[in-house]
């Protein structure tokens, strides 16, 4: 993982996670696929984690699949990320899907800071973040159709709560490139910023100062929105509230606000 992904734990429980294959615009080769999965698993086991900021070093967030991995005599059902496309090797996902879906499975919010390009699988990793901050000139495309392929890095499960159905279909069918400014208007991005990483860190600091148990509960609720029934969501709201109401962290949130001081939460 160390030559593909870096993880730096900052003050306040913020994890600064970066794709560091800068010479290849962070394109996804076998080692990068593996590095992303290892990073997710490491973060899942990290105590005191409050929020993750995900970005790419160099000229790009992620240029998508390293095209050299398309060659060779690999079995048609095999994945460049290892294993078979049809195999569920990472819970409900295959290895490639987990490179994106794994960020959705993290118990804490993930903020993507996106610049340069986010093509193909890169656009789907971007979609896995809870909040997506992009530079206005970022070039984005759901690129798979150019190569005669379909999106298959968890994007379909992620975009359905972000982008209008007809917009998504057009972008998939045409693999049309669009900008970060367009992405905000279309639903692919949350914010546009001339300095996405700085904006992401600023937002991460705000989130890190909230009750960590309430934040995790809120993410679980948000993750249900795509396919849970109204009854299931209403019940889950109540269940999550019972877990946090009148707990020490919830009381500390109230007291810190009233006393105009920084809260002191326990994990």
């Amino acid at each position: 993982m160390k030559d593909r992904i870096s993880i730096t734990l900052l003050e306040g429980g913020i994890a600064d996670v970066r794709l560091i294959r800068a010479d290849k615009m962070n394109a996804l080769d076998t080692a990068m696929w593996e590095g992303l999965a290892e990073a997710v698993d490491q973060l899942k086991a990290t105590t005191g984690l409050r929020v993750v900021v995900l970005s790419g070093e160099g000229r790009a967030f992620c240029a998508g699949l390293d095209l050299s991995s398309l060659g060779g005599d690999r079995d048609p059902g095999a994945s460049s990320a290892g294993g078979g496309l049809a195999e569920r090797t990472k819970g409900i996902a295959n290895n490639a899907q987990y490179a994106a879906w794994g960020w959705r499975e993290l118990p804490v919010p993930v903020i993507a800071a996106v610049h340069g390009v986010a093509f193909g699988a890169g656009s789907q990793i971007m979609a896995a973040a809870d909040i997506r901050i992009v530079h206005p000139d970022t070039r984005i495309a759901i690129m798979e159709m150019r190569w005669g392929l379909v999106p298959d890095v968890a994007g379909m499960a992620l975009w359905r709560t972000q982008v209008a159905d007809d917009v998504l279909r057009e972008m998939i069918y045409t693999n049309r490139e669009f900008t970060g400014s367009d992405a905000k208007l279309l639903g692919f991005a949350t914010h546009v910023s001339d300095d996405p990483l700085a904006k992401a860190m600023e937002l991460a600091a705000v989130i890190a100062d909230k009750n960590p148990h309430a934040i995790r509960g809120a993410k679980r609720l948000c993750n249900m929105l795509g396919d849970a029934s109204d009854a299931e969501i209403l019940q889950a709201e109540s269940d999550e509230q019972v877990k946090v109401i009148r707990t020490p962290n919830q009381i500390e949130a109230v007291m810190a606000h009233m006393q105009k001081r920084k809260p002191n939460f326990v994990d």
Side-chain angles (χ1 to χ4, degrees), residues 18 46 51 61 87 138 143 159 163 173 176 178 185 194 228:
R18 303 191 187 196
T46 299
V51 60
F61 175 71
E87 297 175 23
T138 303
M143 193 66 77
W159 288 316
V163 185
Y173 299 161
R176 176 165 70 84
F178 53 99
L185 296 174
D194 289 333

Side-chain angles (χ1 to χ4, degrees), residues 29-217:
D29 62 354
T30 299
M32 181 66 90
W33 290 116
E34 292 174 352
L36 286 164
E38 289 177 21
V40 168
D41 289 341
Q42 180 176 320
L43 290 164
K44 284 182 176 180
T46 299
T47 58
L49 186 65
R50 300 288 175 82
V51 60
V52 172
V53 174
L54 178 65
S55 66
E57 289 196 349
R59 296 180 294 134
F61 175 71
C62 178
L65 183 65
D66 186 329
L67 295 181
S68 65
S69 66
L70 289 175
D73 298 324
R74 195 171 64 236
D75 183 282
S79 169
S80 62
L85 292 171
E87 297 175 23
R88 302 299 92 183
T89 51
K90 295 287 187 178
I92 64 173
N94 63 31
N95 287 353
Q97 290 168 333
Y98 190 69
W101 188 256
W103 304 99
R104 183 54 56 92
E105 288 186 351
L106 282 183
V108 302
V110 177
I111 306 170
V114 181
H115 75 291
V117 300
F119 287 160
S123 70
Q124 296 172 75
I125 293 169
M126 165 184 159
D130 298 78
I131 299 164
R132 299 163 300 283
I133 303 172
V134 301
H135 189 279
D137 297 330
T138 303
R139 298 165 58 202
I140 305 167
I142 304 172
M143 193 66 77
E144 284 78 4
M145 195 60 67
R146 173 176 291 181
W147 316 118
L149 301 170
V150 300
D152 70 337
V153 187
M156 303 304 293
L158 296 162
W159 288 316
R160 61 179 173 170
T161 60
Q162 301 170 11
V163 185
D165 179 80
D166 56 340
V167 170
L168 181 59
R169 290 170 188 255
E170 178 191 350
M171 295 307 180
I172 291 172
Y173 299 161
T174 66
N175 63 261
R176 176 165 70 84
E177 186 178 306
F178 53 99
T179 68
S181 296
D182 294 331
K184 172 65 170 65
L185 296 174
L186 295 172
F188 290 95
T190 314
H191 299 290
V192 174
S193 172
D194 289 333
D195 192 340
L197 185 55
K199 176 71 173 178
M201 287 295 180
E202 179 184 338
L203 186 56
V206 173
I207 294 172
D209 265 352
K210 306 300 182 185
N211 177 357
H213 295 149
I215 287 287
R216 289 175 178 231

